[in-house]
Amino acid sequence: MSAVKSALKAAKGALDAHQYESAIENANNALKEDPKNYHANVFLGLAFEKQNRPDDSEKSYRAATLLKGNDPLAWQGLISLYEQQGARKLDEYHDAASQLAAIFVAIDDKTRCQTVVDKYTDFARKCGSRAQYRHSLEILLPGSELYDYLEGRILHPSYTYTKIAELLEQDEKEKINYEIGQRRTRLGAKIDQVTADVKKEVLQASDLETVYQCIVDWTEDDATRRLYEEKLLQHAYDTLVVLPSTMKDKKRDQVLRLAQGLVILKHPFALAWRLTLEWKDVDRIEELDPGLLREYIEFFREDGLAKVLQGYLDSEISPFHPDTAEDDEYDDARQKKPLPMSAEDRLILMTDGIEDSATSILALRIMGEYYLYLEEYESAVGTARKAQRELAVISRASGLPLTNLFDAVSILLGTAMVHYQAPRHHPEATSLFEGVLTRRESNSAALIGIGLILEERGELEEAIGFLERALQHTPSLKVKAEAAWCKALNGDYRSGMAELEECLEQLGTGDSGTKTLKAQVLYRIGICLWNLDTSKLSRKDRNKAYARFISSLQADMNYAPAYTSLGIYYTDYARDRARARKCFQKAFELSSTEVVAAERLAQLFARSSEWDLVEVVAQRVVESGRLRPPPGSKKKGISWPFAALGVVQLNRQDYAKSVVSFQSALRISPKDYYSWVGLGESYHNSGRYIAATRAFEQAQRLETELGPEVLGDTWFSKYMLANVERELGQFGAAIAGYKEVLALRAREYGVSIASLQTLIEAAWHDIELGFFGRAINSVQEALKTAEDIVMWRNDAFNLWKSIGDICSVYTCIQSYIAEFPLAALRGLLEHDADPEAYALLTEFDQLDWATFESAIASDSSDAVLAQCIYAAILAQKKAISCCVNDVRARAVAWYNLGWTEYRGHVCLSADEKRGEPLRYLKSAVQCFKRAIELESGNSEFWNSLGIVTSPLNPQVAQHAFVRSLFINDKNARTWTNLGVFYLVEGDRQLASDAFTRAQSIDPEHSQAWLGQGLLAAQLGEPSEARNLFAHAFEIASASATQIRRSYACSILEHLLSSPDTSSSTTNLLQSVVALQQLSKQSGAELPYEHINVLLQERMGNHAVASEKLFAICSTLEAEYETSESAETLARFASAKADLSRSLLAEGKFDSAVENAETALDLSADDDALGMRQRTRLSAHISAGLSHHHLGSFDRSTEAFKGALEESQEDPDIICLLSQVLWAKGGENAREVASQQLFNCVERHPEHVPTILLLGSVSVLQDDQDTVDAVADDLRALRTRDDLPPQQEKQLVQLLSAIAVLYPGRTGQATARTSEATTAVMLRPPYSYGWSQLSGITNESHPAEMAILTAVREAPPRGALTAENLSEVYAGTHRGEDAQRSIMFAPWKSSGWQALSQLL
């Protein structure tokens, strides 16, 4: 025992000397001797603490506390140790401080006990979290041992609870925000749902309400108590809102108890009062406590609900007497009560209030009823819908069913819907009323609502039943009057009138509501009198219905139906239209539902063309919502307001809106004939022609269905349908439609002119399609129409413009110029002729009536064309004189005259222009200038001026084109014209840019492609030019003559420049057709006629070519006799040479020889070397071949020798000469032929035809050495890539023949197969090698490959002929292929032979 004391003493000394290791050693020695020594553990803990070994120190202190738990020394050591570690050991600090304080309580040391508590709570406040601080404060709360011991020395519990509440509030707020922030980022999370879930979790687990209640219980300050009662209610309410419905009952009772307590205490906390007022499930507002309402107003004067309540309690509809307060505390308030508000001030106050309390169900309900009282049904509907939504929110939040409130709001909404835009909302209103009646069968408001709806729908018997049921429960004069009125509407006017008179007797002067009801009853009595006796005399009697209408207005000057009936009386019986108009206007001003007044008013405005007023009236009726009947209603819809709007919009050219209006009218009245016509006209004017056609067709079906007795005159729909067909290009149907209308209304000017213009448009359309004969038929019929119109009206601009167009059509189809009806046109121009009109611009074009008369007497070759041009110009001049007072028409008339003058410049010859070639052009310039003066913003006028001034003044022309593009830069024609202008002026880059711009604007504008082709030709790119001309030709109309010229010339140049090229038959045929159309349009233009002949010759139409060449030769011969021009002579010689060649192809060898010799004679002295050489060479060859076929071999030889001289020994000519010599026979001739070929091969070793011919001759002569040499050359040639397919085929055939005749060691079969295989290897895409291999081997694969390659070589991808394709199919030895062979070339025997072998 002494050792323990010594060790403890040494440890104590070491601690005092700060020798902690020694202290630890001595303390451990003491513990070895006495393991349960308390002081040894304390010393050891203190030493460890000083050495900063907290865990060992805590362990030692804990061991000491276990040995002597009631000794404060070890607990004080632990507290000191925990204080050094800060917040890490704060929870252990709490336990240690509690134990130490309990020890001091046990020894009754209050000072030291309070010190421990204060020190611990202060440390927790500084170092711990809010939860730890709150935990530290809990030891000071009532119920703990320390509170009872230290009461009076520590804080009052209310302050402690307040501090805890503040800490809990902060923790909850942070936790809610944190959890919402974490969960809102989850996939599919919705912020509202996340917020509700988080609040439910946090608020359910919250202790705040308990703390709040403790503060309320312990605090001695009333302000604090009220504050925390508010917080308690708010927290409980927030918790109730987020709780599930199954858990709401208990919490809701708590909330209501708290709210009612605050209200009883008259504490001005808005939530408590709102909950008390708005959670009361009352059927009527009068069931609420008026004192409570007034107290709310007193406490919350600036609150929105208070303002609404204040206005309501002061209004006429308030069920509460203004002096219902009984308590003395309200006496002063009654004495100080302000004067009653005016209706306007009241409405302003309540409107401001509802804006501030948009979520208050009570405020919304009150405002809805007040709006109903004011008959502001739209506002009532909006307010009631808001009330429905807010009531649903309140019901979900509180868990209360609120059935009475729901029914009250439903009745409010349904009642407003009965009147608002009736009957649009009647189905919804009916559903609401029926829902109420399922719960409360005797609800009068619902019964009345359904009765009014049934009355509106025309179901009067049912309406009377519902109204009488309502009367049983709620006697009301208004309902009784409504039931009587339903009986009257049902046809029982006497009974209805009797009941209405009973109601009238019971009505006094009363308030404004009674006055309105009295006016209504008087009006309805008047209607009963009006319908009881419908005779004119009775209705005119001012003592009957008229007197009741007047009495109705005396009762209420703002009762609109009475004004309507008075308006009808003044219109139909008193014949006072001025008063009637005023009555209708007044009725419609008072109520937009007075549809009859509105219709009569619209008719009056329409008769006076006051379309703006018609629109105002119709639009207001549309907005009233009374046009469409509800589903199941017996009433018909009202369509006239939409139709009226459509007519107004048609007059304003607002076609998109008029379409919508007429469609709306037809949805209501599908058999409204005039709406169908209006819809069709709107579609027509907006360019929707297919839809317009359907509309007019429907209108015509209604004509048949309804008959003329109902509709009256119906020609306009036929006329408009014809207009639509005209716009669609269905000119035949349109003309037939106009004729049908004219049969009903003869001499209807608009229809006659439309028919005339349609005939001319049809003619131009036929010209574009190339149907020239049909176009002439159209203008001939148009001329007859014009003759008819002139007889009764000859002062119309469109008439004379059309007559000018008739003449212009003939100038565009000059092949029919001989049929020009000169006499008829002269008669038209002579009818009521005005010499001054025809003398316009005489100083420029020198054309007046006298000039026209002299042209008629002329017998020149171009006289008819000149007469046609003159007549067209005079007609356009006449058109100008017919539109003196119309600036727009006059500008167009000058424009038309300008183009007609320009047409004269283009078409008439120099002789017809009388030595002044530019006089028509200058006149056209003046015309376009005058058109521009009248309408300077028209881009077409500037474009035309640019065209006609291009040859006269390039600067002016450029300015005109640029000005036109400034006005409209999207016009492809103007860009094309500008491109041509630049092309003529030599600026190719600008020309290319202009043409490219035109193509980008309109890719289908053929003239732009033509311009690009001409530019490519100038740049020396013939292939590109040919492709561009071909594209332009494909997309161009038949009236584009220059495109046809350029396309045909490009095809011919291609043929001449590439003689080995096999041109497509399609291209040749298109070129021939183009030139034939050109001939019909522009007359016989000899150069293009000659080109046509050459193309016909290429196509094998030799008879046609010969016929045309005879005509060309005759024309050129006559021209040469007149002019004796060397150029004409050269052309004549060329035509004779071509004629000789064509006759040779026909087999007319004698004529061919004759014409060839004539060509040679004519070209003997020709100085044009190139043309002379070609002409003479062609003539020599034609003569040589003709002599050969006639058997004159010597003369044929001489002719070919001449050809050799002309061609400078051309190898092709040598080949022809050699063939003739060989055909002549004889050893010498054949020897000469062979020698010629040898010499040609030496000079032209690459000329394939010569080598082929030499090989053939050598085979015939059996000259094996030559054959071997030729075969080697042919094998070398066959590897060339530029070898034409036809020559390749001939080469293969010759090599095959050589292989058969000179097989060598391999044998004939092997040699033939080898040659065919080589052909396939060298040219696999060509069919001839495969065909030859198939014929040798009789295998199926080569035959199938031959078909595949032949199909690819066929047009349009290749130039394989039908004969060759037929042979390929015949070589497969299959039945279906034999039939195809016959189909492709039935004139070939190979297909028939293959088929016969298979049968």
Side-chain angles (χ1 to χ4, degrees), residues 3-259:
V4 173
K5 290 182 178 180
S6 299
L8 289 174
K9 185 176 181 181
K12 179 71 171 62
L15 286 172
D16 293 338
H18 305 292
Q19 296 175 357
Y20 303 120
E21 284 293 338
S22 177
I24 293 171
E25 182 180 354
N26 291 316
N28 285 328
N29 291 333
L31 288 173
K32 289 179 182 178
E33 296 294 331
D34 184 7
K36 295 184 179 181
N37 189 288
Y38 174 77
H39 289 93
N41 281 299
V42 171
F43 291 158
L44 184 60
L46 179 59
F48 281 139
E49 179 184 349
K50 296 300 182 179
Q51 283 193 331
N52 197 19
R53 295 169 62 181
D55 293 338
D56 293 334
S57 176
E58 182 181 9
K59 185 177 180 182
S60 298
Y61 282 137
R62 286 290 180 188
T65 58
L66 292 175
L67 295 173
K68 292 179 70 175
N70 57 354
D71 190 278
L73 185 61
W75 293 109
Q76 288 173 341
L78 276 174
I79 289 173
S80 176
L81 176 65
Y82 291 150
E83 285 179 349
Q84 293 176 15
Q85 297 182 59
R88 192 167 69 90
K89 291 292 184 176
L90 191 58
D91 293 336
E92 289 82 354
Y93 190 176
H94 175 83
D95 296 335
S98 299
Q99 289 294 331
L100 182 58
I103 291 171
F104 291 141
V105 170
I107 62 176
D108 194 21
D109 191 343
K110 293 184 177 181
T111 302
R112 295 176 69 185
C113 180
Q114 182 180 354
T115 301
V116 171
V117 171
D118 290 344
K119 187 178 179 182
Y120 165 58
T121 55
D122 186 59
F123 182 80
R125 178 181 61 81
K126 292 179 180 179
C127 299
S129 64
R130 279 195 292 268
Q132 290 171 329
Y133 180 42
R134 187 176 69 247
H135 187 47
S136 70
L137 293 175
E138 290 175 355
I139 64 176
L140 304 178
L141 295 177
S144 69
E145 182 182 356
L146 293 178
Y147 174 78
D148 294 335
Y149 180 69
L150 297 175
E151 185 177 6
R153 299 176 68 92
I154 58 176
L155 291 174
H156 190 272
S158 63
Y159 295 106
T160 306
Y161 279 121
T162 301
K163 195 64 179 177
I164 293 174
E166 291 173 355
L167 295 173
L168 283 172
E169 287 172 356
Q170 293 178 15
D171 285 344
E172 283 192 9
K173 183 178 180 181
E174 288 184 2
K175 185 174 182 180
I176 289 173
N177 292 336
Y178 174 77
E179 291 294 331
I180 291 174
Q182 289 293 314
R183 300 185 189 184
R184 67 183 299 178
T185 59
R186 296 176 182 174
L187 187 64
K190 295 181 180 179
I191 185 63
D192 294 339
Q193 186 61 41
V194 168
T195 303
D197 292 342
V198 170
K199 284 186 176 182
K200 182 178 71 172
E201 294 173 7
V202 174
L203 296 179
Q204 271 187 290
S206 174
D207 296 326
L208 260 178
E209 291 184 26
T210 303
V211 175
Y212 287 154
Q213 187 62 52
C214 291
I215 295 173
V216 171
D217 294 341
W218 280 96
T219 186
E220 297 174 355
D221 181 37
D222 288 341
T224 304
R225 181 178 292 107
R226 298 294 172 260
L227 173 63
Y228 281 93
E229 284 178 344
E230 291 177 6
K231 288 189 175 185
L232 177 59
L233 174 59
Q234 186 67 56
H235 193 279
Y237 175 75
D238 293 340
T239 306
L240 174 65
V241 169
V242 297
L243 283 176
S245 58
T246 56
M247 303 171 63
K248 285 183 181 289
D249 294 344
K250 185 177 180 180
K251 181 60 69 173
R252 183 177 61 249
D253 293 341
Q254 177 192 357
V255 169
L256 287 173
R257 185 179 67 253
L258 292 171

Side-chain angles (χ1 to χ4, degrees), residues 1057-1127:
S1057 62
S1058 304
D1060 293 333
T1061 302
S1062 179
S1063 180
S1064 170
T1065 304
T1066 303
N1067 291 337
L1068 293 175
L1069 183 60
Q1070 287 178 340
S1071 301
V1072 168
V1073 171
L1075 291 171
Q1076 287 177 345
Q1077 290 179 341
L1078 178 65
S1079 176
K1080 290 183 178 180
Q1081 290 177 273
S1082 303
E1085 296 180 355
L1086 289 182
Y1088 296 101
E1089 286 291 316
H1090 203 157
I1091 292 174
N1092 188 7
V1093 167
L1094 297 177
L1095 296 176
Q1096 293 277 8
E1097 184 182 1
R1098 282 276 182 158
M1099 293 178 60
N1101 297 332
H1102 301 295
V1104 176
S1106 299
E1107 181 182 355
K1108 289 183 175 293
L1109 282 169
F1110 273 120
I1112 291 172
C1113 289
S1114 300
T1115 303
L1116 288 173
E1117 185 176 7
E1119 182 180 341
Y1120 179 72
E1121 291 175 355
T1122 303
S1123 63
E1124 295 185 357
S1125 167
E1127 181 182 354

Side-chain angles (χ1 to χ4, degrees), residues 935-1076:
E935 189 178 345
S936 60
N938 193 311
S939 62
E940 291 295 335
F941 294 175
W942 286 101
N943 177 44
S944 304
L945 181 63
I947 293 172
V948 298
T949 55
S950 293
L952 298 174
N953 192 328
Q955 291 83 1
V956 173
Q958 184 180 19
H959 170 75
F961 287 134
V962 172
R963 182 65 181 174
S964 176
L965 291 172
F966 175 78
I967 298 171
N968 180 15
D969 63 348
K970 301 298 182 183
N971 193 325
R973 292 191 304 274
T974 307
W975 281 107
T976 303
N977 293 334
L978 182 61
V980 173
F981 170 80
Y982 286 136
L983 190 63
V984 172
E985 295 299 319
D987 195 331
R988 295 174 179 173
Q989 182 58 48
L990 288 178
S992 177
D993 294 342
F995 290 137
T996 303
R997 182 67 179 272
Q999 290 165 348
S1000 65
I1001 293 173
D1002 184 6
E1004 298 298 319
H1005 186 54
S1006 59
Q1007 301 294 335
W1009 296 96
L1010 171 63
Q1012 287 281 28
L1014 295 173
L1015 180 60
Q1018 281 193 5
L1019 294 174
E1021 299 176 0
S1023 177
E1024 179 68 14
R1026 184 175 65 258
N1027 292 334
L1028 289 168
F1029 290 144
H1031 181 68
F1033 176 76
E1034 289 172 358
I1035 64 176
S1037 64
S1039 60
T1041 56
Q1042 184 56 46
I1043 292 177
R1044 278 152 172 69
R1045 295 186 183 100
S1046 300
Y1047 176 65
C1049 291
S1050 67
I1051 293 296
L1052 182 62
E1053 289 176 2
H1054 178 59
L1055 294 175
L1056 296 177
S1057 62
S1058 304
D1060 293 333
T1061 302
S1062 179
S1063 180
S1064 170
T1065 304
T1066 303
N1067 291 337
L1068 293 175
L1069 183 60
Q1070 287 178 340
S1071 301
V1072 168
V1073 171
L1075 291 171
Q1076 287 177 345

Side-chain angles (χ1 to χ4, degrees), residues 870-936:
Y870 292 168
I873 293 174
L874 292 177
Q876 299 294 358
K877 289 183 178 181
K878 178 73 172 177
I880 293 175
S881 67
C882 294
C883 56
V884 177
N885 298 323
D886 189 340
V887 176
R888 166 67 179 162
R890 192 145 44 97
V892 175
W894 280 109
Y895 173 76
N896 294 334
L897 177 59
W899 276 119
T900 309
E901 297 274 7
Y902 185 72
R903 186 67 184 166
H905 169 75
V906 172
C907 293
L908 294 181
S909 64
D911 292 339
E912 292 296 334
K913 294 175 185 176
R914 301 175 186 173
E916 294 187 25
L918 300 179
R919 63 191 182 101
Y920 293 111
L921 189 62
K922 292 178 180 178
S923 181
V925 171
Q926 295 302 316
C927 292
F928 291 132
K929 283 183 177 180
R930 296 193 183 185
I932 290 171
E933 289 173 0
L934 294 170
E935 189 178 345
S936 60

Side-chain angles (χ1 to χ4, degrees), residues 77 92 136 167 258 441 475 528 556 783 785 833 881 926 1017 1138 1237 1342:
E92 289 82 354
S136 70
L167 295 173
L258 292 171
E441 296 181 357
C528 291
D556 185 359
L783 183 61
T785 304
S881 67
Q926 295 302 316
D1138 292 341
L1237 291 173

Side-chain angles (χ1 to χ4, degrees), residues 344 460 474 499 523 617 630 636 676 891 997 1191 1197-1198 1221 1368:
E344 293 78 5
L460 299 171
T474 307
E499 293 183 13
Y523 162 75
V617 171
K636 293 183 178 179
W676 281 109
R997 182 67 179 272
T1197 303
E1198 292 298 325
L1221 291 173
V1368 171

